[in-house]
Amino acid sequence: MTTTPEEVLSPEPTSVELGLESVEKPRSMFRRGWEVFAENKLALAALVFLVAFILLCYLGPMFYHGNGTQSDMEAVTLPPGAGHPLGTDENGADVLAQFFKGGQLSLNVGVLGGVISAVIGTLYGAISGYFGGWLDAVMMRVIDALMSIPLIFLLIYLGMIWGHDATLMIWVIGLTGWVGITRLIRGESMVIKVRDYVAAARMMGGSGPHIIRKHILPNTIGTTIVNTTFSIAGSIFYLSTLSFIGLGLESPHADLGGMLNDGTQFVDQGYWWMIYPAAIAIILVILAFNVIGDALRDAFETRLQKR
């Protein structure tokens, strides 16, 4: 078959001429997760509020130098106004300065306590779910025993024994709030350990700790992140509860729950500025973490469905 010079010189047809569309580059896991998260307007509002609250608590003292600890009997129970945006308490201390400090302590204890709970619960659940057998049975009976004890009573008991220092409260909350996430991670580990890539790793001589570190934990990261958010919200709630009943952080380094406890002593005298700022902040911060946690759960589940 002969070809003409025109056919030899003519270029090959392009993919566009053949009607073929270029393959779109796949989006990254985090980009897809963010796109799903961004569709939840309530979660975005919660994220904006949480970032603003964190910046207010940690950067506020750099610009507002109020007296939050020392007594000033000439400025006792002043309402919000010039010089004292949130008024003063029964000792003349500035409420806004106390709010900054209380917010920092609540966030520090809540975040660190929640992270400790998530780490312990994730490792415990991964080990129990992967090895199974008698070890799983024993570890789950420990979980059942812990779940039979009301958490708030356990926190009160440990707080009375270990004290009310911020560092001790972090460990008290962190060592008691990991039971819930353990069951979820255990369930996922039992599913992941029968996957082909885990079986292949086992046949190649991979040890149990190696498989847990390289395969089980990375594939439970979604559940871990979501439940860490819920753990932080729970830690802030329990700290505020302990402080409200007088068993949390002690003055003058009280958290938001401690401020609320101090303010309730004057509720019948109309000193609302000693109650509402801390109460509203506690409610909104806990709600913000929970809303963000719900949105993250939806984002991870939707991303898995689109794989």
Side-chain angles (χ1 to χ4, degrees):
M1 181 178 179
T2 60
T3 57
T4 63
E6 290 78 3
E7 292 176 345
V8 174
L9 296 177
S10 62
E12 295 182 358
T14 63
S15 60
V16 177
E17 294 173 347
L18 294 175
L20 300 178
E21 297 180 357
S22 60
V23 179
E24 182 181 357
K25 184 179 180 181
R27 294 169 297 172
S28 65
M29 178 181 65
F30 291 102
R31 180 180 175 184
R32 284 179 290 171
W34 169 252
E35 289 176 354
V36 176
F37 182 89
E39 293 176 358
N40 191 330
K41 303 305 179 184
L42 183 60
L44 286 179
L47 181 61
V48 170
F49 165 77
L50 200 56
V51 171
F53 180 79
I54 294 172
L55 293 177
L56 176 67
C57 291
Y58 287 95
L59 299 182
M62 299 181 182
F63 303 96
Y64 181 80
H65 305 284
N67 173 25
T69 56
Q70 299 179 358
S71 300
D72 184 4
M73 303 312 297
E74 297 182 357
V76 175
T77 62
L78 292 178
H84 300 286
L86 290 182
T88 60
D89 63 6
E90 72 279 9
N91 297 318
D94 189 85
V95 175
L96 181 57
Q98 292 180 348
F99 183 85
F100 291 151
K101 186 63 176 180
Q104 292 180 19
L105 289 172
S106 294
L107 289 171
N108 291 342
V109 176
V111 171
L112 293 177
V115 170
I116 291 174
S117 296
V119 171
I120 295 175
T122 300
L123 293 176
Y124 194 97
I127 294 172
S128 177
Y130 175 77
F131 288 103
W134 66 268
L135 180 62
D136 176 57
V138 172
M139 296 178 74
M140 285 300 101
R141 297 297 76 76
V142 174
I143 295 297
D144 293 338
L146 291 175
M147 293 186 68
S148 66
I149 305 174
L151 181 57
I152 188 64
F153 293 155
L154 184 60
L155 286 171
I156 292 173
Y157 176 73
L158 294 178
M160 293 177 63
I161 293 178
W162 289 0
H164 306 291
D165 180 71
T167 302
L168 293 177
M169 290 303 299
I170 290 172
W171 285 105
V172 167
I173 293 175
L175 294 176
T176 54
W178 53 272
V179 177
I181 189 175
T182 296
R183 288 182 172 273
L184 298 174
I185 299 299
R186 171 181 175 266
E188 289 201 7
S189 299
M190 296 177 69
V191 174
I192 296 172
K193 73 177 183 179
V194 298
R195 299 279 174 83
D196 292 339
Y197 57 86
V198 176
R202 193 182 298 113
M203 292 178 62
M204 294 175 63
S207 62
H210 173 80
I211 294 175
I212 291 175
R213 185 176 67 255
K214 294 294 185 179
H215 299 288
I216 303 295
L217 293 179
N219 284 282
T220 60
I221 188 65
T223 302
T224 301
I225 292 176
V226 171
N227 284 274
T228 298
T229 308
F230 291 132
S231 295
I232 293 173
S235 298
I236 295 175
F237 171 77
Y238 286 119
L239 174 64
S240 301
T241 302
L242 291 175
S243 299
F244 182 73
I245 62 179
L247 298 175
L249 302 179
E250 298 177 345
S251 297
H253 303 292
D255 61 301
L256 295 176
M259 292 180 60
L260 184 60
N261 179 35
D262 295 337
T264 53
Q265 303 176 23
F266 305 93
V267 64
D268 58 340
Q269 301 179 30
Y271 300 148
W272 59 267
W273 57 89
M274 298 172 59
I275 302 173
Y276 287 108
I280 294 174
I282 292 172
I283 294 172
L284 292 180
V285 169
I286 293 176
L287 283 177
F289 274 110
N290 283 325
V291 169
I292 292 173
D294 286 332
L296 287 174
R297 179 175 55 195
D298 295 339
F300 278 104
E301 291 178 356
T302 304
R303 190 177 65 246
L304 290 174
Q305 295 173 1
K306 291 182 178 181
R307 284 183 178 178

